Amino acid sequence: MKKQILLLCLMFGLVSLAVAEEQIGVFANSNTNSIQLIDPVTQTVSASLLKGTLGSYGGGLFDVVITPNGKTAIVSNFGDSKIFFIDISGGFDATPTLLGQARIGFFAEDMAITPDGKYVLVTDGGFSSGIAVVDIAGMYQVNNQNFGNVYSNAVAIAPNGTTVVTADYFTGRINHFTFNPEDATLTFVNYARVLPTRPVNVAISPDGKTAIGVSASGHDHPVFAIHDGGMEFKGYVTLAHKSGQSCVFNSDGTKAYLLSNSTYYRAMIEVMDVTGPGQVVASGVSIPARPKKGTSQLFGVDTIAIDPAGEYLYVSNPTLSGGVQRISIIDLTINQQVNYVQGNGIPCGIAFATIAD
């Protein structure tokens, strides 16, 4: 009898652990003002959720980020200059709840959450040189600094919680800031001019030692080494297909995947090898993502994401013009598309998390 009770306890413990570590993804349908959830284990999606409650339809939903504890998703509405906070703690089978919103003093497009989950940094999709800092728990803006002629159209924050890197498409720069979590202020450090490339996005490796700027023009993308003393420009990684939109690293930082969307080849995933801080080379592997998607770019919106298991890459739309409903699923063990999920609109921003109690 004691053995049976012990087995039952172990079984319940394993079930509880499975629930506590449920995997979940979220993507935003820009034109239909809704989100959908992804179950990456079964590669299925939910119906449209919160439709019509995330600001105006005309504003357009763009980026999605998820807090480190996996319980809150944040979605940006570009035209409304707002971000929306959504409770996803119930997991895939529960209906998410709209928690609230925060108004931003510019067209809200790209977002990055600090590693402690306390703040979300927001950058502009237009010509503002501001970076907004929003308190996630309180859902209010605590800071919105203007940096003059230093523009930021995309933002990423390193795991140390203090190194912030932004992309400036208009002047062809990658900017370096420091963030003070005590008073939620940013300090501009310096920039690297990377013309003729025009960066629309930037990604930082999981160890915080490598940054890749994603250029919308040409085949070259700027690469940086990040260290205690600052950020060092290491040159360019040259890829087979041009016109980049988003970049994501795998969990150990040895691989990086960049979405390009040139007019001729359309959506292609370029695979890069990362051999050390700021040391990035093209692997020579290019993976088509079908159906074909549009050929312009969104500022900073992360339209590719790797599932929590690190096995599959999900590819949504790099732009609205020519956008399609299907999100491509690429098996990273064989570097080939194997499936897709269906959006109820034009999916753009996409992110994954692990729901943990």
Side-chain angles (χ1 to χ4, degrees):
M1 185 66 180
K2 288 182 179 179
K3 288 183 180 179
Q4 291 176 332
I5 292 172
L6 179 60
L7 286 171
L8 284 171
C9 290
L10 286 171
M11 288 174 62
F12 282 123
L14 289 171
V15 170
S16 298
L17 182 62
V19 171
E21 296 180 350
E22 180 184 358
Q23 299 175 7
I24 191 172
V26 179
F27 64 88
N29 292 305
S30 182
N31 61 326
T32 56
N33 196 265
S34 65
I35 65 167
Q36 289 175 252
L37 303 181
I38 305 171
D39 181 345
V41 176
T42 61
Q43 295 186 348
T44 56
V45 298
S46 70
S48 295
L49 300 166
L50 301 177
K51 189 172 184 178
T53 67
L54 303 172
S56 70
Y57 281 73
L61 303 183
F62 278 178
D63 203 23
V64 176
V65 289
I66 299 175
T67 53
N69 65 6
K71 295 184 178 182
T72 303
I74 308 173
V75 179
S76 61
N77 186 307
F78 173 81
D80 287 12
S81 299
K82 292 179 179 179
I83 60 174
F84 292 84
F85 301 82
I86 302 166
D87 181 0
I88 58 169
S89 62
F92 182 79
D93 293 321
T95 301
T97 303
L98 179 61
L99 299 172
Q101 59 184 269
R103 183 177 293 278
I104 310 300
F106 48 71
F107 293 128
E109 190 154 357
D110 191 28
M111 299 179 290
I113 293 178
T114 56
D116 61 6
K118 186 173 182 180
Y119 300 108
V120 57
L121 278 56
V122 189
T123 53
D124 180 45
F127 296 94
S128 170
S129 60
I131 300 176
V133 181
V134 177
D135 183 286
I136 293 175
M139 296 180 290
Y140 63 90
Q141 184 174 273
V142 295
N143 197 7
N144 191 342
Q145 294 170 253
N146 189 295
F147 293 96
N149 63 351
V150 179
Y151 296 93
S152 295
N153 306 115
V155 61
I157 186 165
N160 63 13
T162 59
T163 300
V164 174
V165 181
T166 72
D168 178 356
Y169 170 86
F170 298 106
T171 64
R173 297 175 180 175
I174 296 292
N175 304 312
H176 175 207
F177 298 83
T178 57
F179 178 70
N180 184 346
E182 298 299 320
D183 60 7
T185 59
L186 288 144
T187 301
F188 172 67
V189 180
N190 55 28
Y191 66 80
R193 193 180 296 275
V194 294
L195 288 171
T197 68
R198 298 279 184 177
V200 292
N201 215 332
V202 63
I204 298 177
S205 60
D207 65 4
K209 296 180 179 180
T210 300
I212 299 175
V214 182
S215 175
S217 61
H219 298 260
D220 298 331
H221 305 271
V223 178
F224 298 83
I226 300 173
H227 46 75
D228 291 339
M231 189 174 68
E232 180 185 358
F233 178 48
K234 304 296 286 186
Y236 301 92
V237 56
T238 301
L239 302 177
H241 302 93
K242 63 181 182 178
S243 303
Q245 156 61 33
S246 298
C247 180
V248 64
F249 290 83
N250 66 353
S251 60
D252 65 10
T254 59
K255 294 281 187 182
Y257 302 90
L258 186 145
L259 169 61
S260 74
N261 60 327
S262 67
T263 302
Y264 184 78
Y265 290 99
R266 308 300 281 265
M268 301 288 289
I269 301 299
E270 305 290 342
V271 184
M272 296 170 281
D273 294 319
V274 184
T275 58
Q279 299 174 25
V280 182
V281 296
S283 71
V285 176
S286 300
I287 311 165
R290 298 295 181 259
K292 294 179 178 180
K293 308 171 196 300
T295 57
S296 61
Q297 287 82 22
L298 298 169
F299 284 140
V301 178
D302 293 318
T303 61
I304 58 176
I306 297 176
D307 74 344
E311 297 174 350
Y312 296 94
L313 179 73
Y314 286 64
V315 185
S316 63
N317 289 285
T319 183
L320 300 185
S321 177
V324 297
Q325 291 183 304
R326 291 179 178 178
I327 295 176
S328 313
I329 303 177
I330 292 171
D331 186 333
L332 297 180
T333 62
I334 60 174
N335 290 326
Q336 183 177 325
Q337 182 171 331
V338 293
N339 202 355
Y340 66 86
V341 292
Q342 188 80 16
N344 295 329
I346 300 176
C348 288
I350 184 170
F352 282 99
T354 299
I355 303 297
D357 290 336

